[in-house]
Amino acid sequence: MFHLKKQKDVITELEKNNDRSKVIIALLDFESQGVSQIYSSTLSDIIQSFLINSRALTVVERKDMEKIIKEQNFQLSGCTTNECAVKVGKILNARKIFLGSINFLNDQYFINIRSIDVETGENDFAIQEKFNEKIDIEEMGELLSNKLIIEIIK
């Protein structure tokens, strides 16, 4: 299992790499298997909140994203491909789009998140984590958001 520094340590690291701060990102809802949609949505909301609170990135908030997407007559449900993510990113004026999945198998959560560069349509990076079922969802969200921030500032 991956353990990261607390968010204040990540923010200190970000301040040293100020040139990459304020990247505009959007986090789409996670796909889920063996996990309720409510749990999956809660985890993506927690990750989004930690990303916003880090002040390291500009995050398109879910309510704003839904409003903009609706105005453009675009459908987010089932958007799991790079091509779809790039379209969403362009509509939202985001530089990066995060797509993810959460699965529950053998008493463990398996979480995969990939970052897609909206300009190129290519995968920037992906993170994968495994958590036991006893971990607090908020702790899980903080660890994942910190890992995403660290990958972006590399």
Side-chain angles (χ1 to χ4, degrees):
M1 184 190 308
F2 187 83
H3 294 283
L4 280 173
K5 305 171 213 169
K6 286 293 185 187
Q7 197 157 37
K8 66 180 175 139
D9 297 324
V10 172
I11 291 168
T12 300
E13 194 170 327
L14 278 170
E15 289 169 352
K16 295 176 190 173
N17 297 296
N18 204 9
D19 60 322
R20 295 208 182 177
S21 65
K22 299 300 180 182
V23 172
I24 300 172
I25 66 104
L27 176 69
L28 302 184
D29 282 333
F30 290 167
E31 291 184 277
S32 59
Q33 284 191 323
V35 179
S36 73
Q37 189 58 46
I38 292 170
Y39 192 92
S40 178
S41 293
T42 301
L43 179 60
S44 64
D45 287 344
I46 289 169
I47 292 170
Q48 178 176 294
S49 293
F50 275 110
L51 291 172
I52 290 168
N53 289 336
S54 76
R55 301 189 192 284
L57 308 163
T58 300
V59 181
V60 180
E61 292 192 52
R62 194 158 327 277
K63 64 180 179 190
D64 296 331
M65 186 179 350
E66 290 169 358
K67 180 182 173 191
I68 293 166
I69 294 297
K70 187 176 180 180
E71 287 172 359
Q72 297 294 319
N73 293 321
F74 194 83
Q75 182 70 297
L76 272 180
S77 64
C79 185
T80 59
T81 65
N82 285 26
E83 181 181 9
C84 182
V86 166
K87 286 179 185 175
V88 170
K90 287 180 179 177
I91 291 169
L92 299 174
N93 199 30
R95 199 165 129 200
K96 310 269 184 214
I97 295 287
F98 295 148
L99 295 176
S101 65
I102 178 170
N103 301 297
F104 189 74
L105 179 67
N106 297 330
D107 299 327
Q108 293 186 323
Y109 294 100
F110 295 87
I111 298 157
N112 295 287
I113 303 172
R114 60 190 165 103
S115 172
I116 299 166
D117 183 290
V118 172
E119 188 176 315
T120 66
E122 299 293 319
N123 293 318
D124 283 334
F125 63 86
I127 62 171
Q128 305 82 35
E129 284 304 322
K130 172 173 70 171
F131 298 98
N132 70 45
E133 69 177 330
K134 293 182 175 37
I135 191 169
D136 179 73
I137 191 170
E138 192 168 359
E139 182 181 353
M140 190 186 311
E142 182 177 16
L143 292 169
L144 290 164
S145 66
N146 288 346
K147 194 168 183 184
L148 289 169
I149 293 167
I150 288 171
E151 285 295 323
I152 286 176
I153 66 169
K154 278 186 176 178

